[in-house]
């Protein structure tokens, strides 16, 4: 009777130990919103996103002597497009297809460089995001937002450690976007 219970239990434990951690990183930065501009009266902007990274990986780590590629849980183009739409709506803009100024938010770089030893790990994360504003009158402006974040910890870097680093650098970049008024000023000057 004991053998009948013992072998299935051993098999379950062996299968459970073979389970690999997920290869996606939960990307969910905090979204900072700017102050509303009461002088905006019905100004519409169109917004789209682009991901120009050469590699879609957020990080590559060695686990059990194998290189594991970690990818974002969401498409970064749509995530950052949603962020910019929320920020522009908070400023007082309407979002729509036919507009005097088109905005494109571009992911140039977002990567967590993970280095690990036997007792410590280091995660160096960089973000480089551009907003390209193109007015119907032909004027154009590009604004870059860059941020970096480093963290160290004991033993091996988990997906959660890497996600925290990626979310931290994205949150900083989004906060910079909310505080900066150069795109807002460009739209106000060229939306007439």
């Amino acid at each position: 009777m004991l053998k009948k219970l013992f072998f299935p239990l051993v098999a379950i434990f062996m299968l459970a130990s073979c389970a690999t951690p997920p290869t996606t990183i939960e990307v969910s930065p905090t979204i900072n919103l700017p102050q509303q501009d009461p002088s905006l009266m019905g100004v519409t902007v169109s917004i789209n996103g682009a991901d120009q990274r050469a590699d879609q990986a957020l990080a590559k780590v060695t686990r059990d002597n194998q290189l594991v590629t970690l990818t974002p849980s969401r498409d970064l183009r749509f995530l950052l497009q949603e962020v910019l739409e929320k920020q522009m709506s908070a400023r007082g803009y309407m979002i729509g297809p036919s507009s005097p100024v088109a905005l494109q938010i571009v992911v140039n770089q977002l990567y967590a460089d993970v280095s690990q030893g036997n007792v410590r790990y280091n995660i160096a994360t960089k973000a480089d995001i551009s907003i390209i504003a193109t007015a119907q009158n032909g004027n154009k402006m590009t604004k870059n937002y860059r941020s970096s974040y480093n963290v160290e910890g004991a033993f091996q870097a988990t997906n959660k450690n890497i996600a925290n680093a990626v979310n931290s650098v994205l949150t900083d970049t989004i906060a910079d976007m909310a505080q900066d008024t150069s795109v807002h000023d460009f739209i106000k000057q060229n939306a007439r």
Side-chain angles (χ1 to χ4, degrees), residues 18-39:
C18 292
T20 58
T23 58
T24 55
I25 298 293
E26 184 63 39
V27 180
S28 56
T30 303
I31 300 173
N32 294 40
L33 298 177
Q35 294 292 317
Q36 183 171 3
D37 183 344
S39 70

Side-chain angles (χ1 to χ4, degrees), residues 10-182:
V10 168
I12 289 171
F13 284 119
M14 286 177 65
L15 286 173
S17 68
C18 292
T20 58
T23 58
T24 55
I25 298 293
E26 184 63 39
V27 180
S28 56
T30 303
I31 300 173
N32 294 40
L33 298 177
Q35 294 292 317
Q36 183 171 3
D37 183 344
S39 70
L40 292 174
M41 299 298 282
V43 177
T44 303
V45 293
S46 65
I47 299 174
N48 69 52
D51 188 349
Q52 294 187 343
R53 297 175 303 143
D55 189 347
Q56 300 305 305
L58 276 182
K60 293 183 180 179
V61 295
T62 302
R63 292 187 175 144
D64 299 325
N65 294 324
Q66 291 197 341
L67 189 64
V68 178
T69 301
L70 303 174
T71 55
S73 59
R74 289 189 60 183
D75 188 325
L76 295 176
R77 289 176 305 171
F78 298 123
L79 172 70
L80 288 166
Q81 181 178 330
E82 181 183 311
V83 166
L84 188 57
E85 285 175 358
K86 286 181 179 179
Q87 288 183 340
M88 288 305 183
S89 293
R91 282 198 200 276
Y93 291 100
M94 293 187 297
I95 311 300
S98 56
S99 63
V101 178
L103 300 179
Q104 182 178 42
I105 186 161
V106 181
V107 185
N108 299 312
Q109 180 181 14
L110 181 60
Y111 190 75
D113 187 13
V114 182
S115 57
Q116 338 189 77
N118 290 335
V119 291
R120 296 201 64 69
Y121 67 83
N122 182 54
I123 304 171
T125 313
K126 288 185 179 174
D128 181 350
I129 310 292
S130 299
I131 296 178
I132 302 166
T134 308
Q136 282 184 347
N137 64 14
N139 291 341
K140 191 172 186 176
M141 182 193 107
T142 300
K143 177 67 182 180
N144 293 313
Y145 301 93
R146 294 180 181 96
S147 188
S148 60
Y149 177 80
N150 285 357
V151 65
E152 289 185 353
F155 305 113
Q156 301 289 304
T158 65
N159 285 9
K160 184 156 180 52
N161 299 137
I162 298 167
N164 289 343
V166 168
N167 287 322
S168 179
V169 78
L170 263 181
T171 296
D172 291 348
T173 307
I174 290 167
D176 290 348
M177 288 166 47
Q179 292 169 4
D180 181 56
T181 59
S182 57

